[in-house]
Amino acid sequence: MTPGTLIRAVNSSTSARRIDKRWDSGLLCTDAKSTKTVEPDHCLRAWITAIAASMVLRELQVNQPLSTRFLDRAMLQCFVALATRSIRLDLLKPLIQETEFTAIQLAEDGSLVINNARFKTRVRRSKTTYLRIYLENGDVVTAEAKHPDGRRTPASAARALTDKIACMQVIGREEATSAEKARYHFLRFSLTNSRTLPSFVKIIWFPGKNKRVHHNRRAKPSSLKASHLPEGLNSSQREVATAMLSLSPRDSLVIAHGAASRDRKDDDYCAVASTWVDHGLSGWIVAQSNVGVKNIAETLFKKNVKFKLIVSKEFLFEWHEELYSAIEDVVIRTDNIPERVQDVATLFGGITLVLCTLSSLSNPKLDECGLLDLIPMRSLVVDEASQIDVFEFMHLFYKFSDVLMKVCFFGDPKQLPPYGAEEAGLETIFDVKHLNKMSYFLNTQCKKWRQIIVSQFL
């Protein structure tokens, strides 16, 4: 959370963008070509901190204050690590980002429309950033971006542009994502309310508190057995698949290590996925990247497994439609999900299997429309787990503690670590030492081992 966001949380009349601009003013060089390293204005930051502290003190008089009295030492240390990582990751976000555009349309009223060239460097609306436009005559003009629509981002300039645009930068750190906001609210709630630790939180972070993993009695039990597994699996694959089908509490968490290449034919892929769906067992499959989820979806689609794939409009519209051309019949854009649960049920048409990115699970719209009640997360399969900080799952384990029965992680620990791993001290599920003894190691040359084993579970 940036200083501006913090102050705005207790005083909605303030501008988070203006406060953050002052906070980072010493770091923001006005020369677009400069690579000079500068120091922050510590005196200015101290003054802003003092003002923010006085505002927070007034807010604490009418709101529930944070308290750690009900937390034991282990839990407190865990929450400290979570907060520290979040802060370090936020500080790793660049203060200045170069934009790439193919054209800019200018209007007489000073407004402009930016045609973004790349998805990664697209200009987006944010409460914590603004645009700095450099003109060919040396003039510099600031602008505020509006909601983008595909490749086009409208923006309003502070004053008229007197010459052609030479280049453009986004100034300020990006606004928190839905997942980052969810983790913040989870941490804040955990420091103001005492509550029972979910089973998967105990297994991963507090093994000493984990006496037994209990299944939710309301959840529909599976009748799938290892006999449903197809021929052709080697011993390590069959061992993982059997654990994923097991109803034993000791197998509630499954962690599988293996190679990550994907170039083998998928003739036997998803052999049991249709059986799992036929039993009406609801579940979600997630990955860190949209491309990772799309790869799983393509294999499911080829085997005629019934599922839906949720993709954000921001990623799909005018940017990546071609990636989903072969499976467009199962793709649902987030902006097309209805608000009424009855309409959601009609749209999903009895589907019990949903695919999306991990961050999509924190999208508030999935809660507001009732989708997570309609298709409860009784089983969660995580692909690309070696690219995800394990703390990203904690708030989800709390959120779905009433229904979640099985969690399965797949990944290759030998891949490059996730962004910020060294600087922020991140760790993946494969780095949790006490879980090594319960992990599975796939001894196989199969190039799509993850999809094949996931299909056996489904």
Side-chain angles (χ1 to χ4, degrees):
M1 177 174 285
T2 66
T5 307
L6 174 63
I7 295 177
R8 183 175 174 79
V10 297
N11 187 344
S12 59
S13 64
T14 59
S15 170
R17 186 183 297 108
R18 292 181 63 184
I19 294 173
D20 290 334
K21 182 179 179 180
R22 298 293 185 273
W23 181 269
D24 295 318
S25 60
L27 301 174
L28 302 176
C29 181
T30 56
D31 184 358
K33 299 181 180 180
S34 175
T35 58
K36 180 181 178 181
T37 302
V38 293
E39 290 293 323
D41 188 332
H42 296 292
C43 292
L44 180 59
R45 287 188 170 188
W47 179 78
I48 295 175
T49 302
I51 297 298
S54 64
M55 298 176 70
V56 172
L57 286 175
R58 292 194 297 269
E59 185 72 9
L60 288 177
Q61 296 175 0
V62 294
N63 286 281
Q64 185 178 6
L66 302 183
S67 175
T68 60
R69 289 179 295 178
F70 56 86
L71 298 175
D72 60 29
R73 186 175 183 84
M75 294 177 64
L76 185 58
Q77 289 178 337
C78 183
F79 289 142
V80 167
L82 172 58
T84 301
R85 291 185 196 182
S86 298
I87 294 172
R88 287 178 175 175
L89 280 176
D90 190 63
L91 291 176
L92 287 175
K93 294 179 180 179
L95 280 171
I96 301 177
Q97 300 180 73
E98 299 293 335
T99 66
E100 298 177 66
F101 53 89
T102 57
I104 295 180
Q105 288 82 42
L106 301 177
E108 294 181 358
D109 61 356
S111 63
L112 56 153
V113 177
I114 305 165
N115 291 321
N116 296 285
R118 297 178 59 213
F119 179 78
K120 187 176 181 180
T121 60
R122 69 197 185 282
V123 177
R124 292 176 288 175
R125 180 181 182 275
S126 173
K127 296 178 181 178
T128 59
T129 64
Y130 64 95
L131 290 172
R132 182 185 286 167
I133 303 173
Y134 296 88
L135 306 182
E136 292 184 353
N137 61 6
D139 196 10
V140 180
V141 180
T142 61
E144 180 180 346
K146 307 297 183 181
H147 284 290
D149 185 28
R151 291 179 176 269
R152 299 174 299 280
T153 303
S156 58
R159 52 189 173 84
L161 305 184
T162 58
D163 202 351
K164 294 182 179 179
I165 297 176
C167 65
M168 187 163 45
Q169 296 175 332
V170 176
I171 308 299
R173 294 187 174 91
E174 289 185 358
E175 192 173 358
T177 63
S178 295
E180 291 170 337
K181 291 177 182 177
R183 290 197 296 272
Y184 167 76
H185 290 299
F186 156 75
L187 183 60
R188 181 174 180 178
F189 184 85
S190 298
L191 294 177
T192 55
N193 298 271
S194 177
R195 50 181 172 173
T196 304
L197 290 175
S199 298
F200 290 103
V201 172
K202 292 180 182 179
I203 295 173
I204 297 175
W205 288 281
F206 308 106
K209 300 178 181 290
N210 183 44
K211 296 181 180 180
R212 183 181 179 185
V213 180
H214 297 279
H215 285 304
N216 187 329
R217 295 181 179 179
R218 294 181 297 169
K220 185 177 180 180
S222 171
S223 61
L224 299 180
K225 298 180 180 179
S227 59
H228 289 89
L229 299 177
E231 299 296 330
L233 297 180
N234 64 30
S235 58
S236 63
Q237 290 173 319
R238 184 168 292 273
E239 185 180 23
V240 172
T242 301
M244 297 177 73
L245 295 176
S246 172
L247 294 177
S248 171
R250 57 183 282 179
D251 294 321
S252 293
L253 179 66
V254 178
I255 303 173
H257 301 234
S261 54
R262 297 178 177 267
D263 56 358
R264 184 190 174 185
K265 299 293 183 180
D266 51 0
D267 294 338
D268 296 325
Y269 179 59
C270 296
V272 187
S274 58
T275 304
W276 184 75
V277 170
D278 289 342
H279 280 73
L281 301 175
S282 61
W284 293 64
I285 302 178
V286 302
Q288 178 76 331
S289 66
N290 281 284
V291 174
V293 179
K294 186 268 301 181
N295 290 337
I296 300 173
E298 286 180 336
T299 309
L300 289 169
F301 188 79
K302 290 176 183 178
K303 296 301 179 179
N304 298 316
V305 178
K306 296 180 179 179
F307 71 96
K308 292 295 184 182
L309 170 61
I310 298 176
V311 185
S312 69
K313 175 186 176 181
E314 186 177 17
F315 181 80
L316 183 62
F317 179 57
E318 292 189 350
W319 286 108
H320 301 101
E321 287 101 337
E322 72 284 354
L323 293 179
Y324 301 90
S325 58
I327 55 173
E328 59 181 354
D329 292 341
V330 299
V331 173
I332 297 179
R333 257 176 31 185
T334 51
D335 61 311
N336 290 332
I337 298 177
E339 296 181 357
R340 297 172 65 248
V341 67
Q342 296 89 342
D343 298 330
V344 174
T346 301
L347 178 63
F348 281 80
I351 291 295
T352 59
L353 176 62
V354 182
L355 280 65
C356 65
T357 60
L358 178 63
S359 60
S360 296
L361 295 179
S362 300
N363 187 335
K365 185 168 186 177
L366 300 189
D367 287 300
E368 295 166 358
C369 72
L371 177 60
L372 292 170
D373 294 323
L374 185 68
I375 309 176
M377 188 178 293
R378 295 195 175 113
S379 301
L380 174 64
V381 179
V382 181
D383 198 8
E384 302 179 334
S386 60
Q387 300 298 302
I388 306 171
D389 180 26
V390 68
F391 264 128
E392 292 192 34
F393 299 100
M394 181 179 280
H395 72 284
L396 297 174
F397 291 154
Y398 273 93
K399 180 178 181 178
F400 301 110
S401 60
D402 289 341
V403 296
L404 190 57
M405 296 172 55
K406 175 82 72 171
V407 179
C408 307
F409 291 97
F410 290 88
D412 181 8
K414 295 182 180 180
Q415 281 187 308
L416 291 175
Y419 170 75
E422 183 176 352
E423 297 87 344
L426 306 185
E427 63 177 3
T428 70
I429 192 71
F430 304 107
D431 298 319
V432 183
K433 293 182 179 180
H434 71 269
L435 296 179
N436 288 339
K437 60 184 179 182
M438 60 184 294
S439 298
Y440 296 88
F441 296 84
L442 288 161
N443 179 22
T444 176
Q445 295 301 314
C446 173
K447 303 306 183 181
K448 284 195 174 183
W449 63 269
R450 289 184 291 190
Q451 289 98 325
I452 291 177
I453 294 300
V454 167
S455 70
Q456 314 316 315
F457 169 59
L458 298 182

